[in-house]
Amino acid sequence: GSVVHSTRYWYLIYFHCLSWIDSYYEALEFLYWEPQHLGRKTNPVAELNTLEKVKRRLRRMEVTLNHNIAQFFLLAPDSFRNDLFAELFAQPFTGRLEMFGRAAELELELVNSMQPDLAFVSEVDVVSLEMKVGSKSSVTQVLKYALLGLAVEMRVGMPRSHYLALLGPGRFDTLWQARFETLSDLSNAIAEADLAEFLRKQPVRFRSNQDRFNQIVQNMRVSFLNYDRLAAFLRRSSPSEREQSPGAEVYRKLLAGMLGELTIRNLTT
């Protein structure tokens, strides 16, 4: 066993082992360099004219991280999301949370009013995850997640409990356009928002549900998760090296790939 582990350690030091996330970036790089496969012409004087520049640009973009995290949640066991949300909101989540991606905008007829990063729906809950890297959030963006919750209820015809997890770098107070030091500051700002005015700017079909929208806003629980805390949760979730089943091996690779991406982006150590 020790020989196997030391050999593996040597290999990891001297060679970069591709992860599932690396394969995603390799696919993007291929399409960048050979856009004719998408029916587009190459640009010989493109600004990003070296492979290293392309790689750095791709790994600075917020949207590519969103893609990686969405893919991770699609592949991870259902219990991972339930356990993560249980830790964030200090309560159990027992129902199966089905994941909506950006397709939720079409499926829930949001009509360009919002495009969620990730949304999970069970028979009793709606849990949304908003991811930030460099951009800032706002009260209006929080209200749009409440609107997403209303759209789910209108689609299924049943009320749900609503949750929003905010994922960002560093501290909670650096996440906002306005200065909110704590979740209580955010809650106070939401309580002072003009919800009727907000709903008047949304698609007509939502406006007859003002009372229920107000209730969702009032009762929606919001929690903050930074990338360091997410990384710690990923590490705790990894199966022991003693577990050698195919499932455990695949899960370790999945978690290691996500951890590696957060480290490469300097979002965690």
Side-chain angles (χ1 to χ4, degrees):
S2 60
V3 174
V4 172
H5 285 299
S6 59
T7 302
R8 180 171 178 269
Y9 178 69
W10 178 88
Y11 183 79
L12 289 171
I13 290 176
Y14 288 96
F15 298 95
H16 174 64
C17 301
L18 288 179
S19 72
W20 60 274
I21 284 186
D22 291 321
S23 69
Y24 162 80
Y25 287 111
E26 285 188 343
L28 294 184
E29 290 162 14
F30 170 79
L31 293 173
Y32 175 83
W33 289 110
E34 301 195 35
Q36 68 270 21
H37 295 285
L38 298 177
R40 301 186 66 178
K41 295 181 180 179
T42 58
N43 181 1
V45 293
E47 179 184 355
L48 303 177
N49 54 7
T50 71
L51 182 59
E52 285 306 312
K53 286 183 181 178
V54 173
K55 287 180 176 179
R56 287 197 298 270
R57 173 69 178 273
L58 288 171
R59 275 190 148 131
R60 284 198 303 265
M61 294 170 62
E62 191 170 284
V63 67
T64 52
L65 180 62
N66 288 0
H67 292 165
N68 295 152
I69 292 180
Q71 190 70 18
F72 172 85
F73 273 105
L74 285 170
L75 294 170
D78 292 346
S79 60
F80 177 90
R81 61 188 68 163
N82 288 55
D83 292 343
L84 176 63
F85 297 147
E87 179 173 310
L88 279 179
F89 296 103
Q91 67 174 68
F93 287 80
T94 55
R96 182 175 182 180
L97 288 159
E98 299 287 352
M99 183 175 132
F100 280 106
R102 293 176 178 267
E105 182 184 8
L106 293 175
E107 293 180 39
L108 298 175
E109 300 177 68
L110 289 163
V111 199
N112 298 320
S113 55
M114 71 98 58
Q115 190 178 61
D117 285 338
L118 292 175
F120 305 88
V121 179
S122 73
E123 292 184 356
V124 294
D125 299 313
V126 178
V127 185
S128 299
L129 182 64
E130 170 74 6
M131 292 175 276
K132 296 295 183 186
V133 175
S135 61
K136 302 294 183 180
S137 194
S138 65
V139 169
T140 299
Q141 199 156 24
V142 174
L143 295 181
K144 286 183 177 181
Y145 277 99
L147 185 72
L148 169 69
L150 177 62
V152 170
E153 291 191 358
M154 291 171 65
R155 175 74 173 268
V156 301
M158 295 283 289
R160 296 288 192 275
S161 296
H162 299 271
Y163 305 84
L164 172 60
L166 300 163
L167 175 61
R171 305 185 314 271
F172 175 82
D173 63 314
T174 64
L175 192 64
W176 304 96
Q177 295 171 3
R179 193 73 175 182
F180 301 130
E181 297 288 340
T182 65
L183 281 167
S184 294
D185 293 338
L186 173 63
S187 296
N188 292 338
I190 292 171
E192 295 172 1
D194 188 339
L195 302 186
E197 177 63 20
F198 171 84
L199 212 56
R200 274 195 293 271
K201 297 177 181 177
Q202 307 310 318
V204 174
R205 73 188 198 91
F206 294 116
R207 297 176 195 171
S208 60
N209 291 277
Q210 181 76 62
D211 289 344
R212 180 54 188 157
F213 177 72
N214 293 355
Q215 291 170 356
I216 291 172
V217 172
Q218 181 179 358
N219 296 312
M220 184 171 69
R221 295 187 58 189
V222 180
S223 183
F224 173 65
L225 171 73
N226 67 22
Y227 290 102
D228 276 330
R229 187 177 170 192
L230 174 61
F233 189 86
L234 291 167
R235 295 187 190 100
R236 291 198 305 273
S237 300
S238 183
S240 165
E241 288 285 349
R242 292 190 297 272
E243 295 183 48
Q244 293 299 314
S245 69
E249 182 180 352
V250 170
Y251 195 16
R252 280 193 294 269
K253 289 180 179 179
L254 180 68
L255 293 162
M258 194 70 254
L259 279 165
E261 178 66 4
L262 296 179
T263 302
I264 287 171
R265 285 175 174 263
N266 295 318
L267 293 171
T268 188
T269 54

